[in-house]
Amino acid sequence: MLDAVLLSRIQFGITAGFHFLYPPMSIGLGLLLVFMEYRYLKTKDKIYEQITKFFIKVFALIFGVGVATGVVMEFEFGTNWATYSRYVGDIFGSPLAAEALFAFFLESTFLGLLIFGWNKVSPKVHFFSTIMVALGATMSAFWIIAANSWMNTPAGYKLVTNVVNGVQVERAVITDFWAMVFNPSTIERFGHVISASWLTGAFLVLSISAYWLRKKIDVEHAKATMKMALILALFASLTQLFTGHHSGVGVYKRQPAKLAAYEGHFKTAPGNLYTFGWVDEKNQKVTGVNLPGFLSFMIYFDTKKPLIGLNDVPPVERPGKPPVKENPPVQLVFQTYHLMVTLGLIMIGLSLIGLLYLFLGKLFKTKWLLALFVPAFILPHIANMSGWIATEVARQPWAVQDILLTREAVSKVVTANQVWFSLIMFTVIYLILGTLFVYLMIKKIKQGPASVA
Amino acid sequence: MELNIIWFVLLTVLFGGYVVLDGFDLGVGMIHLGLKSDLERRTSLNAIGPVWDANEVWLITAGGALFAAFPDVYATVFSGFYTAFMLFLLVIIGRAISIEFRGKVESDKWKKTWDFIFCLSSYLIVLLLGVSLGNIITGIPIYQDKEYAGTFFTLLNPYAVMTGITAVLLIRMHGKIFLAVKTEGEIQQRVAKGINSSLILFVIAYIFHGAWTIILYPGVIKNFVAFPVWFILPAFIILSIIVIPGFINSQLYFRAFVASCTIIAFCIAIAAIDIYPNLVISNPNPENSLTIFNASSSQKTLMTMLIIACIGLPLMFIYKIFVYRIFRGKVKLDNMSY
């Protein structure tokens, strides 16, 4: 039924998903920009100067769309999820405000220098501003991930009931700021999102470099950027495996229903690790290729140890409210989770092969490998989207795990018709925006870095 | 309880800072179509180029601070004014994208389309914010449970619309003065010539709006009557208005800009004093009003947020001034410009 709750969820998914195409590119490309400019400062090589200036322009385009789509997110907690905002505002508002006060101001102020200041300040001052922009983008990720992590593993809070005009109103209030910010899943999720961002930036530059090499555009520049992109790609994809594993273990400890949904694990038993499969939700079976007992192994180093099945996760009791025992949609979560993992492994493979060929001196002449790299920028994006869908849908029916249900969190005064209006508006705008962005990026890439004076 | 008052002040500063700073970006946008050549339009875009994004962040910070310090207000206003806020998001996206995309394709049609969007979205942003402010000053219907009790059209009442129009005229003048500071030669002459007439339009609207406020909503002056020291604010506004024509005629554009900033900042301050200690006045049923006391976060959160602000804001001022100083002086187009 397309009511205000479902429509608001769809809208949040679309707006957050579209927005999240851009910050990872900003964070990853930001890091690479620091390397590029550092090499320019050290070598005074014109090639590195041109590479840096070129990717600053690319960065500006990405950052601009990131900002435009990001404002929507801050507003959307209030517009569509007002009850959520009232309920957890005492807690959730602080990291958002911190994000603006620390990270947004830092990155946007120095962005002016980054883009416009090349001819106005010394190379060292400009390099400093590049570092500040990259730092600001990374810090911004920290605060929003801390807030989102709190929704998954709440800590540092207590529930209080006040009487407002004769009505009992419950809300969560903070008891410990640092326990809230560094709640049990913040660090591992932040690490996972940051390495995902580095991976996204690395593959973006990798794809662009491969394109230049294949079309023989600015070949010397392309070789330099491909090298640094490959190194970051391998480092980030391995880090991603590590942080992903760590997150998975953490998820089993604190959100067992989520991990059970990820792997279609309905009954309590030793857990199987699926490479791919199909979930029959009605009969609670998964058909697919799996490594028996390996899920248990990854969590307990013991293939025989049983893991809690989705059916056996106890109902959640909340004082004064009926117990909640609802499963998230298992098929969607299973597929997106496995897609993410598969892509992650593919990206490790691609990075390894690329570096191997680079080491053997054959990379720039191997046409089939370059051809593979050109569209590869899309892999991290698909992985990012899949991962987010998996983790946030698997959290359902909870907005805040075990505390507030999603259907309780929606704005009381907003009608389904109003959300239809905004949902259609965002879909249309973002389709146009996305198309224009791709058009402008391709146009810029085709010009090549030597085109920058 | 002092923390609640401190946060009321901080929010006013954040919101006021936004209007003063992004105000000149938006004002430049409003007059953009009045500039005719590509060179002039590029000049005006690059006058705001290095700073507009950081200026917009003041709004984000004000919103984030509102959420953190007064979550009930954030929830009631953002969900209650849903359609208005969605339209606002539409135009604020439009403004950002038009600035960023305009110069990227060497096509007349492309540039003219984005010029139009830049101009229209600038007007609509200020109009919507002004309409919201008008509603905040006079009050909106609120239920007992703090939720908004009106519709989209409740917000489009004549007083609020008049507030929007007044805001547009003020910001338009502000943008012109900023551009006069940042440009030279022919474009500066033309922009500067229009400032005094913009000022007159604003003053007419302002007097009309002020009279309307005091006659129909006399409650707004109660805080001024109780603490007459605050009359210094309208006094400074009048003083600033008076000195602008003289500065313009003597080509002391930067001083005129300072005066314009003062007018805007003090108008916001007056609005804040008008409503204090309310944040959202309930009209009718004033007992349902959301105040800085009944709609706030816990004292612990307010304190934590204050500490964060005390670290973040001074830092921000330092590097902001650093960057503004680097970009002082006239706009010069180079290969990194829009």
Side-chain angles (χ1 to χ4, degrees):
Chain A
M1 229 234 340
L2 288 175
D3 61 354
V5 180
L6 186 57
L7 288 169
S8 294
R9 286 178 63 188
I10 295 172
Q11 182 177 283
F12 203 91
I14 290 179
T15 52
F18 188 73
H19 173 61
F20 202 71
L21 294 171
Y22 302 92
M25 286 195 281
S26 298
I27 294 170
L29 185 55
L31 183 65
L32 281 171
L33 265 177
V34 173
F35 291 152
M36 290 172 189
E37 196 166 352
Y38 177 71
R39 294 238 50 194
Y40 165 58
L41 284 184
K42 279 215 90 176
T43 65
K44 300 268 181 282
D45 190 337
K46 192 166 178 65
I47 289 194
Y48 280 102
E49 182 187 6
Q50 291 177 322
I51 289 172
T52 307
K53 284 170 118 174
F54 177 84
F55 277 105
I56 286 177
K57 295 211 154 175
V58 171
F59 183 87
L61 186 63
I62 295 169
F63 192 88
V65 184
V67 167
T69 55
V71 181
V72 174
M73 302 320 302
E74 184 191 71
F75 279 44
E76 208 167 347
F77 294 114
T79 56
N80 289 72
W81 304 99
T83 307
Y84 171 87
S85 301
R86 289 186 209 283
Y87 198 87
V88 302
D90 195 76
I91 296 164
F92 195 80
S94 320
L96 255 55
E99 187 185 7
L101 273 166
F102 291 131
F104 288 157
F105 269 133
L106 185 69
E107 60 177 3
S108 62
T109 305
F110 281 100
L111 184 75
L113 264 182
L114 176 69
I115 301 175
F116 294 91
W118 190 277
N119 300 317
K120 280 191 168 282
V121 297
S122 73
K124 284 216 181 95
V125 171
H126 188 274
F127 183 53
F128 178 73
S129 50
T130 307
I131 296 175
M132 289 298 104
V133 175
L135 184 65
T138 307
M139 275 177 16
S140 146
F142 174 77
W143 289 107
I144 193 63
I145 293 299
N148 178 259
S149 298
W150 187 83
M151 293 166 75
N152 283 282
T153 57
Y157 74 100
K158 67 176 183 218
L159 296 177
V160 299
T161 309
N162 295 319
V163 180
V164 174
N165 289 332
V167 178
Q168 299 251 24
V169 176
E170 190 181 68
R171 66 175 191 176
V173 297
I174 202 161
T175 53
D176 184 343
F177 179 73
W178 294 117
M180 180 273 288
V181 172
F182 289 100
N183 60 72
S185 58
T186 297
I187 300 281
E188 56 205 26
R189 292 166 101 252
F190 175 62
H192 199 56
V193 167
I194 288 300
S195 53
S197 302
W198 291 340
L199 201 50
T200 311
F203 268 77
L204 176 68
V205 176
L206 190 64
S207 291
I208 295 174
S209 310
Y211 177 79
W212 286 334
L213 284 167
R214 276 180 63 84
K215 298 283 182 194
K216 310 231 187 317
I217 299 173
D218 299 335
V219 171
E220 285 313 302
H221 301 70
K223 287 182 182 176
T225 52
M226 176 155 261
K227 252 192 267 190
M228 55 172 75
L230 267 176
I231 295 172
L232 183 61
L234 182 64
F235 176 73
S237 55
L238 289 174
T239 311
Q240 195 61 328
L241 188 61
F242 174 72
T243 56
H245 170 66
H246 217 61
S247 286
V249 175
V251 164
Y252 181 69
K253 271 207 270 227
R254 292 171 217 108
Q255 297 173 287
K258 196 185 248 195
L259 190 75
Y262 281 168
E263 291 286 3
H265 193 69
F266 289 95
K267 305 184 178 62
T268 301
N272 303 327
L273 190 70
Y274 280 88
T275 52
F276 55 87
W278 188 258
V279 179
D280 181 353
E281 290 201 56
K282 209 154 72 108
N283 298 317
Q284 303 199 332
K285 272 173 31 93
V286 183
T287 322
V289 176
N290 71 79
L291 297 161
F294 252 80
L295 190 62
S296 292
F297 183 78
M298 291 186 81
I299 297 184
Y300 290 120
F301 292 107
D302 180 352
T303 58
K304 302 276 193 304
K305 192 131 183 190
L307 300 178
I308 299 177
L310 205 49
N311 298 336
D312 298 320
V313 174
V316 176
E317 308 276 352
R318 295 182 296 166
K321 303 193 182 96
V324 177
K325 173 101 184 105
E326 284 169 43
N327 292 344
V330 180
Q331 179 78 277
L332 177 64
V333 166
F334 181 96
Q335 299 304 341
T336 47
Y337 171 77
H338 283 87
L339 181 59
M340 173 192 74
V341 174
T342 307
L343 288 171
L345 294 171
I346 290 176
M347 287 191 273
I348 294 178
L350 277 175
S351 320
L352 275 171
I353 295 174
L355 277 172
L356 178 67
Y357 271 68
L358 179 70
F359 182 66
L360 295 174
K362 299 194 328 192
L363 175 61
F364 304 128
K365 292 173 246 147
T366 311
K367 289 205 166 133
W368 62 266
L369 189 55
L370 292 178
L372 262 184
F373 281 147
V374 171
F377 71 91
I378 203 87
L379 299 176
H381 284 298
I382 301 175
N384 293 343
M385 293 296 125
S386 307
W388 273 112
I389 293 172
T391 188
E392 297 296 87
V393 173
R395 172 172 40 86
Q396 302 303 325
W398 298 103
V400 183
Q401 186 76 46
D402 299 347
I403 294 176
L404 185 71
L405 292 167
T406 303
R407 57 181 174 270
E408 294 168 340
V410 78
S411 300
K412 293 209 178 89
V413 299
V414 177
T415 65
N417 280 340
Q418 284 176 294
V419 188
W420 268 118
F421 164 70
S422 53
L423 178 57
I424 293 174
M425 180 186 92
F426 283 124
T427 307
V428 171
I429 299 296
Y430 284 174
L431 276 171
I432 297 174
L433 192 50
T435 310
L436 287 175
F437 173 78
V438 170
Y439 166 68
L440 289 175
M441 280 287 278
I442 292 178
K443 187 167 176 299
K444 187 80 205 152
I445 291 166
K446 282 189 171 158
Q447 284 170 358
S451 63
V452 175
Chain B
M1 291 296 121
E2 295 81 13
L3 282 172
N4 304 56
I5 300 173
I6 291 174
W7 269 104
F8 181 81
V9 173
L10 271 176
L11 259 176
T12 308
V13 167
L14 285 171
F15 189 65
Y18 167 71
V19 184
V20 169
L21 291 172
D22 205 24
F24 67 69
D25 303 319
L26 292 163
V28 166
M30 286 181 194
I31 65 172
H32 193 69
L33 289 181
L35 304 169
K36 292 303 177 190
S37 73
D38 186 52
L39 181 65
E40 284 189 346
R41 289 182 178 183
R42 284 191 66 204
T43 304
S44 82
L45 276 171
N46 284 287
I48 63 172
V51 295
W52 75 267
D53 197 317
N55 290 343
E56 190 180 275
V57 172
W58 284 74
L59 182 67
I60 313 298
T61 310
L66 185 66
F67 190 1
F70 304 106
D72 272 324
V73 175
Y74 171 78
T76 298
V77 173
F78 280 52
S79 63
F81 296 10
Y82 188 86
T83 307
F85 268 72
M86 288 301 160
L87 288 173
F88 179 80
L89 285 172
L90 177 67
V91 289
I92 209 155
I93 291 175
R95 192 270 296 253
I97 297 303
S98 62
I99 295 178
E100 204 51 60
F101 282 16
R102 183 212 184 254
K104 298 271 189 292
V105 179
E106 284 306 317
S107 141
D108 262 355
K109 219 154 80 148
W110 172 272
K111 291 188 184 185
K112 289 207 166 101
T113 307
W114 291 114
D115 287 332
F116 176 73
I117 295 175
F118 179 46
C119 184
L120 182 66
S121 50
S122 300
Y123 271 108
L124 289 174
I125 288 172
V126 181
L127 189 65
L128 282 168
L129 285 173
V131 165
S132 301
L133 185 62
N135 283 297
I136 293 291
I137 292 173
T138 58
I140 52 176
I142 304 278
Y143 287 124
Q144 252 193 341
D145 62 356
K146 295 182 176 167
E147 301 282 359
Y148 176 60
T151 69
F152 175 56
F153 296 103
T154 317
L155 301 172
L156 294 178
N157 56 79
Y159 178 82
V161 175
M162 188 62 218
T163 313
I165 293 173
T166 310
V168 165
L169 293 172
L170 175 56
I171 293 297
R172 197 156 182 279
M173 176 192 78
H174 191 54
K176 283 191 185 181
I177 299 179
F178 176 76
L179 216 48
V181 172
K182 294 294 289 181
T183 58
E184 48 194 353
E186 209 200 293
I187 174 176
Q188 184 194 45
Q189 302 279 11
R190 229 161 357 98
V191 166
K193 254 204 309 217
I195 293 176
N196 286 337
S197 51
S198 296
L199 176 65
I200 292 170
L201 279 175
F202 161 64
V203 171
I204 295 172
Y206 188 54
I207 293 174
F208 180 54
H209 181 265
W212 189 343
T213 311
I214 295 177
I215 294 170
L216 279 185
Y217 305 97
V220 298
I221 64 167
K222 69 174 180 336
N223 286 328
F224 287 86
V225 167
F227 297 97
V229 66
W230 290 122
F231 279 112
I232 206 172
L233 294 174
F236 259 90
I237 291 178
I238 296 171
L239 181 64
S240 302
I241 291 174
I242 292 174
V243 297
I244 285 180
F247 286 147
I248 298 300
N249 294 336
S250 314
Q251 299 180 358
L252 295 167
Y253 300 120
F254 187 72
R255 294 187 200 189
F257 182 68
V258 172
S260 182
C261 290
T262 308
I263 298 173
I264 296 174
F266 285 15
C267 277
I268 299 293
I270 289 176
I273 296 170
D274 281 347
I275 67 174
Y276 179 87
N278 296 304
L279 285 162
V280 184
I281 299 170
S282 175
N283 180 4
N285 302 326
E287 69 277 9
N288 292 343
S289 297
L290 302 181
T291 72
I292 61 174
F293 301 112
N294 72 16
S296 78
S297 291
S298 62
Q299 293 295 299
K300 204 174 168 77
T301 292
L302 292 181
M303 183 49 126
T304 309
M305 286 301 311
L306 183 61
I307 295 173
I308 290 176
C310 285
I311 302 171
L313 281 175
L315 267 177
M316 181 272 290
F317 273 115
I318 293 173
Y319 53 72
K320 211 176 206 28
I321 292 174
F322 173 65
V323 173
Y324 264 93
R325 291 202 60 212
I326 290 173
F327 288 103
R328 71 187 179 285
K330 305 297 176 187
V331 183
K332 296 254 186 296
L333 299 180
D334 62 20
N335 60 12
M336 298 305 276
S337 298
Y338 280 133

